[in-house]
Amino acid sequence: GQQLNQSPQSMFIQEGEDVSMNCTSSSIFNTWLWYKQDPGEGPVLLIALYKAGELTSNGRLTAQFGITRKDSFLNISASIPSDVGIYFCAGSGRIYKLSFGAGTTVTVRA
Amino acid sequence: DTGVSQDPRHKITKRGQNVTFRCDPISEHNRLYWYRQTLGQGPEFLTYFQNEAQLEKSRLLSDRFSAERPKGSFSTLEIQRTEQGDSAMYLCATGPDGRALNEQFFGPGTRLTVL
């Protein structure tokens, strides 16, 4: 089963809004990664975080590795329609295998 | 385009049949992983190869499942005597050695439907 808890489970965005999602774990991870998955496709790596406290940006995306090493958050600034999709956090531990959260589904608000 | 390719993209089979999926990794990546993803969930780890050696298998990988990476390049995942519960997306991911050890790049997946 999943070890990571992602929240919110789903969210609606309006173009131009900043959105935020987070991920918590009962286990310590050495690395946190954030992926985005479109329907029918594999996850695409957005950001990888390697050190506790690290804050990393990739364009309009910003992610942080929590200092306890048990949590991470992802912010999307000035959202655009192509930001819709499912965002997954993943923690990497032994042999670098990834444990994933259940995802945050981002949808455009009608 | 991540460079990881999987074939086929979709497979529909009848219960009890055997199926085989193929993954071609990014050429310089020594690490290769298989994951399974069901609707509404994140991917779940199945197995891991370092070059041609299969170093770990999840408890999810029953004895009906077998994976190989014969020359440390492409990999195959076979499911024998498929069951309806095997219906899922099967994802392959590969990763480099060096600093980016923890990064994994996924292929587009093979969607299996067992009727």
Side-chain angles (χ1 to χ4, degrees):
Chain A
Q2 306 292 340
Q3 291 180 276
L4 306 186
N5 295 309
Q6 270 190 260
S7 65
Q9 195 173 22
S10 62
M11 63 168 56
F12 292 89
I13 63 170
Q14 200 148 25
E15 191 169 351
E17 280 184 338
D18 295 347
V19 299
S20 182
M21 59 194 80
N22 65 65
C23 196
T24 60
S25 169
S26 56
S27 305
I28 288 174
F29 289 109
N30 298 325
T31 303
W32 282 89
L33 304 102
W34 286 91
Y35 287 85
K36 178 175 182 275
Q37 187 174 30
D38 293 326
E41 299 295 330
V44 174
L45 180 62
L46 301 174
I47 291 181
L49 301 154
Y50 290 95
K51 282 194 223 177
E54 179 183 353
L55 187 72
T56 297
S57 292
N58 177 8
R60 294 177 298 102
L61 307 177
T62 301
Q64 183 157 32
F65 189 150
I67 57 172
T68 66
R69 294 168 62 195
K70 291 184 176 183
D71 63 308
S72 178
F73 72 75
L74 176 71
N75 284 345
I76 307 172
S77 63
S79 55
I80 60 178
S82 62
D83 289 334
V84 302
I86 305 177
Y87 291 80
F88 290 100
C89 62
S92 175
R94 191 175 65 85
I95 69 161
Y96 318 114
K97 68 180 180 183
L98 300 181
S99 297
F100 282 82
T104 294
T105 301
V106 175
T107 313
V108 172
R109 195 193 325 255
Chain B
D1 183 358
T2 64
V4 179
S5 61
Q6 291 187 246
D7 183 70
R9 294 291 309 273
H10 303 274
K11 179 71 177 177
I12 300 174
T13 191
K14 291 183 181 176
R15 190 175 50 187
Q17 298 294 306
N18 299 343
V19 295
T20 300
F21 310 141
R22 178 179 169 120
C23 171
D24 285 275
I26 296 171
S27 59
E28 61 269 25
H29 286 183
N30 294 325
R31 295 180 295 116
L32 187 146
Y33 300 79
W34 285 97
Y35 291 84
R36 181 171 70 186
Q37 185 178 27
T38 53
L39 200 62
Q41 299 296 318
E44 292 180 290
F45 170 79
L46 291 179
T47 192
Y48 161 60
F49 289 85
Q50 175 73 37
N51 298 311
E52 66 275 11
Q54 187 174 20
L55 298 185
E56 182 147 333
K57 293 194 287 187
S58 162
R59 285 172 294 177
L60 291 175
L61 214 65
S62 76
D63 56 8
R64 295 184 297 106
F65 287 69
S66 62
E68 292 183 345
R69 194 182 182 195
K71 296 183 181 178
S73 57
F74 73 91
S75 176
T76 57
L77 177 68
E78 181 183 15
I79 309 174
Q80 295 183 325
R81 305 182 303 281
T82 52
E83 300 172 358
Q84 288 185 323
D86 297 332
S87 296
M89 174 81 94
Y90 290 84
L91 293 160
C92 174
T94 71
D97 293 331
R99 184 191 178 277
L101 272 172
N102 292 295
E103 295 179 10
Q104 293 180 26
F105 299 88
F106 284 81
T110 295
R111 167 75 63 190
L112 173 67
T113 302
V114 182
L115 302 176

